[in-house]
Amino acid sequence: MSLQVDAARLTHELQVLATFSAAPAPAVTRVVFTEPDRAARAYVRSLCTAAGLSLREDAVGNLFARWAGEDPSLPAVCTGSHIDAIPNAGMYDGTVGVLGALEAIRALQATGLRPRRSIELLMFTSEEPTRFGIGCLGSRLLSGLTDAGAASRLRDRDGATLDDARQAAGFTGTVADVALPPGQYTAFVELHIEQGPLLEQRGIGLGLVTAIAAPASLRVTIDGEGGHAGAVLMPARRDAFLAGAEIALAVEAAARSTDAIDTVATTGVCHVFPGAVNSVPSRCELEVDVRDIDEGRRDAVLARVETACVDVAARRRVSVTTQVVNADPPARCDAAVVDALTASCVDAGFACEPMISRAYHDALFMSRVAPTGMLFIPCRAGVSHRPDEYAAPEDIARGVHVLALALARLAS
Ligand code: GLV
Ligand code: MN
Ligand code: MN
């Protein structure tokens, strides 16, 4: 198959997509259902329509763009990723797997191929946990792991429910209908930047993911006693933030205690109430992220953090409540899909190597409902979730080329 990936077109589209942002360039902030997210969705829809794909959106805004195969009754081959971006992020996380998948479909269309199975681009809603505190919201619901009842209890920091937010964005369908019926897809493949340094360090252009690490997150709420920063004397204090600071250090210590390089933990959110320089913090809310490729070890870290919370609460005379927002199992990629990706690398003459994904992806949840694989491309210095995230056009084009070959193979 003589396949032409239009790297210049794809680079241009990634750059246009990056302009839909609540942060000044080069930073990208695109939180689900905010104005930049809605404008970015409209842009992606327009590109998919121009490529002749037929579009469908579900009740939470997952977008399905289908290139019909010769036999549309067969389970389709699915590919895709997300376009939402955490605060102060870069322009490649997720977007490469959406616009790259579209470019792969267009490159296949240009060869004159008519696939036997349909090929569907799936753009997932809210892979990032920024707004509702839980990652991979769209794919979780598609997989059926999270149900409509749990989704309806989600709220953002301003108290808006998921239902309020999705309906305001024009997604008014029934959340209970989002879960995919069994056997919908014969395979799912996600193209993504590595978000780590290994491919670049090893000089290898493509990584074939064999497993995805198990993510968990914890919300910790500390209630102490506020008061005047001048008048409340130190022995009388029940400072909620200082308790939170100790808990954040305990999170770090818990991750380090495993002595395993694969255990990581982060306290990435800390809200202090009332947030005035001359007021003792009365309340502190933390959001903690814990991951490991070993689920048991990850759970042991969560348990250590819970123990530390009890200890800090007693010593500092504050109340600490914890809520496990999610504690997901790791995923294994499907051998046949990995084989299809490997064969596609060989066909194209590109070197590749197997690897673990330490970041989570919608593929983690799609693996529950479809045989799943992931293709990684290098990103500069492994940097991600930062404005200086960068993937070279030739590396993106290589990933798109292999994705296209793999989609054709899986759809044949
Ligand atoms: C995905 O964005 C992750 O945090 O792994
Ligand atoms: Mn991300
Ligand atoms: Mn991502």
Side-chain angles (χ1 to χ4, degrees):
M1 186 185 305
S2 106
L3 195 75
Q4 291 298 323
V5 172
D6 190 337
R9 168 171 63 183
L10 178 52
T11 301
H12 169 74
E13 290 170 351
L14 285 165
Q15 284 165 349
V16 173
L17 190 56
T19 65
F20 303 107
S21 168
V28 177
T29 298
R30 197 159 48 231
V31 176
V32 65
F33 301 143
T34 60
E35 193 42 45
D37 179 56
R38 288 155 74 166
R41 286 167 181 271
Y43 177 61
V44 173
R45 279 195 301 266
S46 72
L47 295 177
C48 291
T49 303
L53 308 183
S54 48
L55 306 192
R56 168 175 91 82
E57 284 168 324
D58 69 16
V60 294
N62 290 312
L63 170 70
F64 306 77
R66 180 168 282 231
W67 178 25
E70 266 171 5
D71 187 348
S73 69
L74 291 174
V77 176
C78 187
T79 179
S81 193
H82 64 100
I83 61 163
D84 63 320
I86 67 164
N88 207 39
M91 59 176 271
Y92 298 94
D93 175 3
T95 56
V96 162
V98 174
L99 294 179
L102 176 61
E103 182 56 31
I105 290 172
R106 289 184 303 213
L108 289 173
Q109 288 172 334
T111 66
L113 172 87
R114 180 85 202 274
R116 191 163 77 92
R117 296 174 185 273
S118 300
I119 296 180
E120 188 151 276
L121 164 56
L122 211 174
M123 183 172 89
F124 299 94
T125 280
S126 196
E127 190 266 354
E128 303 291 7
T130 311
R131 183 159 184 184
F132 292 104
I134 188 160
C136 298
L137 181 57
S139 51
R140 255 174 217 282
L141 286 160
L142 289 168
S143 76
L145 188 72
T146 295
D147 63 17
S152 71
R153 291 190 288 279
L154 293 173
R155 285 177 185 273
D156 68 12
R157 284 203 68 76
D158 299 324
T161 63
L162 173 63
D163 280 334
D164 297 338
R166 71 182 176 92
Q167 282 164 6
F171 303 110
T172 55
T174 307
V175 177
D177 294 343
V178 169
L180 290 170
Q184 178 83 353
Y185 297 121
T186 187
F188 173 74
V189 183
E190 181 167 358
L191 171 66
H192 206 282
I193 58 169
E194 181 199 342
Q195 304 182 289
L198 299 181
L199 290 172
E200 187 184 72
Q201 282 169 3
R202 292 174 191 162
I204 304 254
L206 294 161
L208 304 183
V209 174
T210 53
I212 305 174
S217 65
L218 197 64
R219 207 173 260 148
V220 182
T221 306
I222 304 131
D223 284 296
E225 190 171 9
H228 195 288
V232 182
L233 300 181
M234 299 312 280
R237 291 204 182 192
R238 296 167 54 224
D239 183 318
F241 167 67
L242 293 180
E246 280 204 44
I247 291 168
L249 290 172
V251 167
E252 183 195 32
R256 287 182 182 274
S257 74
T258 70
D259 285 330
I261 196 73
D262 294 315
T263 317
V264 287
T266 308
T267 304
V269 174
C270 174
H271 291 285
V272 177
F273 185 82
V277 69
N278 54 353
S279 181
V280 178
S282 60
R283 172 175 263 241
C284 177
E285 291 165 2
L286 306 177
E287 288 179 40
V288 177
D289 178 302
V290 183
R291 312 185 191 204
D292 204 312
I293 54 174
D294 181 321
E295 187 179 6
R297 204 163 53 197
R298 192 270 323 267
D299 287 343
V301 170
L302 285 175
R304 270 187 111 101
V305 172
E306 301 260 11
T307 304
C309 288
V310 172
D311 168 54
V312 170
R315 274 192 296 102
R316 289 192 167 268
R317 297 178 297 118
V318 295
S319 111
V320 180
T321 55
T322 58
Q323 180 205 352
V324 177
V325 178
N326 63 292
D328 302 304
R332 290 224 157 272
C333 289
D334 178 81
V337 178
V338 177
D339 285 350
L341 287 164
T342 309
S344 301
C345 290
V346 171
D347 284 355
F350 297 143
C352 62
E353 68 174 38
M355 58 196 311
I356 302 283
S357 173
R358 294 167 190 283
Y360 59 70
H361 301 283
D362 294 301
L364 184 69
F365 296 94
M366 289 303 285
S367 72
R368 305 175 79 92
V369 288
T372 288
M374 280 196 84
L375 187 59
F376 274 176
I377 59 162
C379 54
R380 189 175 57 200
V383 165
S384 186
H385 283 184
R386 275 172 36 182
D388 54 339
E389 178 180 87
Y390 177 76
E394 56 274 21
D395 287 331
I396 299 175
R398 191 182 302 114
V400 170
H401 190 115
V402 170
L403 176 67
L405 293 181
L407 294 175
R409 187 179 280 271
L410 292 163
S412 68

